[in-house]
Amino acid sequence: MRTDIIMVLLILTNMVVLGSSRLRACIHVVAAQGVALGILPLIIHSFEPQLLIFAVLSVLLKGVIFPLMLWRTLRQLNVWREDDPYVGYGLSLLMGPIALAFSYWISTRLPMPFSVHSPMLIPVAMFTLIVGLFIIISRKKALTQVLGYLVLENGIYAFGMAIASQQPMLIELGILLDVFVGVFVMGIAIFHISRQFDHINTDQLSTLKD
């Protein structure tokens, strides 16, 4: 039951990210998504000390450190909205239920050699993966694409929780460390791009020539 509540929260936060142009609100929503996913291992699995450490690290990174890094970059850039994405927000919201239905359909056809804690876990993890990829390719501003990258990682994390008994926590920690380095480097890169070109629109950066 508690796992299903977190899955519903993931669906709702994904829909908010799809339909919102306000970058600050999106950062807060992705942070809430990270906190919910951080406590997920404690709900799914029986209590172990290393599991508690892993959950605390996940909540700190996903719910506090990543949002603070993005919030700091946002404040430095003074860019608060994604005004002109490649795909409009109405169409993005329409894509959400379609992607969710597709995720449920494809999850019923995936062979699972083990039992999953909740029937919602795999489809919602796939839905989160799709939303992350969609945000990366449908938005222009580099900061929004970083948010899409974090949503994508949240989907991978949720999927990893579904198969955690087969996947050592050490691998998850390695993934979290990679994401931390990635967000850190992207935050610095976005700041310097903004200072050099006075914008962070990736469509304009792709036209640059030597």
Side-chain angles (χ1 to χ4, degrees), residues 6 9-10 12-14 16-17 22-40 55-71 128 146-154 157 176 183:
I6 289 182
L9 180 63
L10 279 184
L12 294 177
T13 51
N14 284 333
V16 172
V17 173
R22 294 179 298 171
L23 297 178
R24 184 168 60 179
C26 288
I27 291 174
H28 291 161
V29 167
V30 173
Q33 193 176 82
V35 171
L37 282 172
I39 63 175
L40 186 61
V56 170
L57 282 175
S58 297
V59 170
L60 279 177
L61 283 171
K62 291 173 175 292
V64 180
I65 296 176
F66 293 162
L68 281 178
M69 292 166 69
L70 292 175
W71 170 249
T128 307
V146 175
L147 285 170
Y149 173 68
L150 287 177
V151 173
L152 173 69
E153 197 280 330
N154 284 341
Y157 183 94
L176 281 176
V183 173

Side-chain angles (χ1 to χ4, degrees), residues 83-208:
D83 290 324
D84 187 27
Y86 291 117
V87 181
Y89 292 104
L91 194 58
S92 298
L93 279 174
L94 182 64
M95 191 281 301
I98 296 173
L100 183 59
F102 174 77
S103 300
Y104 269 95
W105 176 78
I106 201 70
S107 66
T108 60
R109 281 151 178 79
L110 285 178
M112 290 292 171
F114 48 86
S115 61
V116 180
H117 184 76
S118 164
M120 294 182 68
L121 195 48
I122 295 293
V124 174
M126 292 185 63
F127 174 55
T128 307
L129 274 168
I130 293 173
V131 169
L133 281 172
F134 182 80
I135 294 296
I136 290 172
I137 64 175
S138 66
R139 304 296 188 251
K140 289 182 179 177
K141 295 198 181 302
L143 192 68
T144 318
Q145 293 176 348
V146 175
L147 285 170
Y149 173 68
L150 287 177
V151 173
L152 173 69
E153 197 280 330
N154 284 341
I156 296 172
Y157 183 94
F159 200 83
M161 286 302 102
I163 58 173
S165 58
Q166 281 72 33
Q167 184 177 10
M169 290 294 175
L170 189 60
I171 297 177
E172 288 290 350
L173 285 174
I175 293 173
L176 281 176
L177 181 61
D178 288 344
V179 173
F180 173 75
V181 173
V183 173
F184 182 72
V185 171
M186 283 188 281
I188 294 173
I190 291 171
F191 175 68
H192 285 286
I193 287 171
S194 173
R195 290 187 62 183
Q196 191 69 29
F197 301 107
D198 295 327
H199 62 79
I200 54 172
N201 290 347
T202 54
D203 60 328
Q204 297 182 41
L205 295 178
S206 63
T207 63
L208 294 177

